[in-house]
Amino acid sequence: MPALPPIVNLLAFEAVARRRSFAIAATELHLTASAVSHQISRLESDLGVRLFERSAHGVRLSSAGEQYLVRIGGALAAISSATEDLRQGVSNSLYVHSAPSIASLWLMPRLRRFAEAHPHVALNLSAAHSHSDFALGQSDIDIRYGVPHWDDVVVEPLFEERILPLASAAFIREHGIKRIEQLLDVPLIQSNVSVIQWSDWFGRYSERRAPDHFTIRFDRAQMSLDAAAQGLGVALESATIAGMHLAQGSLQPVFGMAKAIAVKAHFAVYPARHAKRPSVEAFLAWIHAEAAATAITR
């Protein structure tokens, strides 16, 4: 294995990258700004690249620095978590990484049941659009969204969900929406990361083409759903992920549940070597049971 840079230099790099300031990073690390600057200089010399661009306006990551941060940030976080677990005497930790919207709208409302059923498991949940890097030890399980083209991992679908137009009852009444063609005359909310787009839905249920311009776009389903609930337009989203909105009545299917496209887009993903870990086995059994219950009610 190639020699690794000193951990103190890596910690200094991560702190400056996160804080965008040598002085603030130095305060966090209980060092002087000069000491932090020297650690960064030694790291840059060791790597042979410039990690930061310094100017009168402050400090920012170079292109190489941005790429390096992506690779080592998760590794440092994993080391920190493992160290804290050891200090606290936690021997059965579970690290779950998830796509943001399913984490906040589907997982979070159910986590109490997991905690009650498995009080011995210390669950750590993080959320981001980027996938967890198992090679860096960032997580035990990744709940991913998208088309499952992922090599060297076990991929288990969670549930089939129906993607359909959703809006508030007030919005539907205000615009008198009864026919699909009327959607072309109201604001449509675009969810940029959705596996099903408005063009797919119009192609299935209408002879008219979907608009190619949207006044409102989001990169998270939760924001699209919240915008629709606020009466900003019609969202094309999953009835499963929108479960709380539908149950509370803040959103409803514009044309009923029949005008939907069924997909499997959420998956539990993990390396095969993780399969026999007791905490992983417990979480997978639990999440599949929750997913099956969701399929029955949705």
Side-chain angles (χ1 to χ4, degrees):
M1 177 183 291
L4 298 176
I7 188 68
V8 292
N9 295 351
L10 295 176
L11 291 174
F13 165 70
E14 189 278 335
V16 174
R18 177 165 38 83
R19 295 293 196 173
R20 297 296 195 269
S21 166
F22 281 88
I24 298 176
T27 300
E28 178 181 307
L29 296 171
H30 304 291
L31 298 171
T32 65
S34 176
V36 171
S37 179
H38 284 306
Q39 288 174 344
I40 296 298
S41 295
R42 285 194 290 270
L43 181 60
E44 290 178 326
S45 177
D46 186 16
L47 297 175
V49 298
R50 183 170 291 279
L51 298 171
F52 293 99
E53 302 294 344
R54 302 159 177 84
S55 70
H57 302 291
V59 61
R60 66 182 180 85
L61 283 165
S62 66
S63 176
E66 289 179 352
Q67 295 176 24
Y68 196 51
L69 179 64
V70 170
R71 297 298 301 274
I72 74 164
L76 291 174
I79 293 171
S80 176
S81 297
T83 302
E84 186 63 20
D85 285 347
L86 191 61
R87 285 174 175 162
Q88 300 296 327
V90 177
S91 60
N92 200 19
S93 294
L94 176 69
Y95 292 87
V96 177
H97 181 273
S98 176
S101 292
I102 190 174
S104 59
L105 296 176
W106 191 84
L107 269 179
M108 286 299 296
R110 294 167 168 79
L111 281 184
R112 181 176 179 178
R113 291 199 285 270
F114 177 80
E116 291 174 345
H118 303 282
H120 60 289
V121 177
L123 177 64
N124 300 267
L125 176 64
S126 62
H129 282 309
S130 58
H131 297 157
S132 181
D133 190 337
F134 292 114
L136 296 178
Q138 293 178 345
S139 66
D140 298 302
I141 301 171
D142 202 358
I143 308 302
R144 295 183 182 178
Y145 176 78
V147 179
H149 297 314
W150 308 305
D151 298 328
D152 302 321
V153 289
V154 179
V155 179
E156 300 180 358
L158 291 179
F159 40 60
E160 182 176 86
E161 52 197 315
R162 287 178 280 181
I163 313 298
L164 69 170
L166 302 170
S168 69
F171 185 92
I172 296 172
R173 287 196 304 270
E174 177 185 352
H175 296 278
I177 303 176
K178 296 181 179 179
R179 304 186 314 278
I180 291 175
E181 289 70 24
Q182 290 176 280
L183 292 181
L184 298 173
D185 299 321
V186 302
L188 299 183
I189 298 170
Q190 169 78 344
S191 186
N192 294 332
V193 299
S194 177
V195 297
I196 299 295
Q197 295 292 315
W198 278 109
S199 57
D200 301 312
W201 190 85
F202 270 87
R204 174 75 63 87
Y205 291 109
S206 174
E207 296 180 356
R208 303 283 297 276
R209 292 184 58 184
D212 54 13
H213 174 74
F214 301 91
T215 57
I216 307 176
R217 295 174 178 266
F218 297 104
D219 67 350
R220 297 193 180 188
Q222 181 168 4
M223 292 191 288
S224 296
L225 293 169
D226 288 344
Q230 294 171 24
L232 297 181
V234 180
L236 184 67
E237 291 291 352
S238 162
T240 300
I241 302 304
M244 289 192 301
H245 291 79
L246 295 172
Q248 295 167 358
S250 59
L251 289 176
Q252 65 182 51
V254 178
F255 304 109
M257 295 299 293
K259 293 292 191 293
I261 295 179
V263 297
K264 291 183 179 179
H266 285 96
F267 303 87
V269 179
Y270 56 94
R273 65 182 182 275
H274 291 185
K276 294 303 181 182
R277 296 180 182 178
S279 58
V280 170
E281 289 184 311
F283 186 84
L284 289 173
W286 172 81
I287 198 172
H288 281 301
E290 291 289 339
T294 299
I296 292 173
T297 59
R298 192 57 63 206

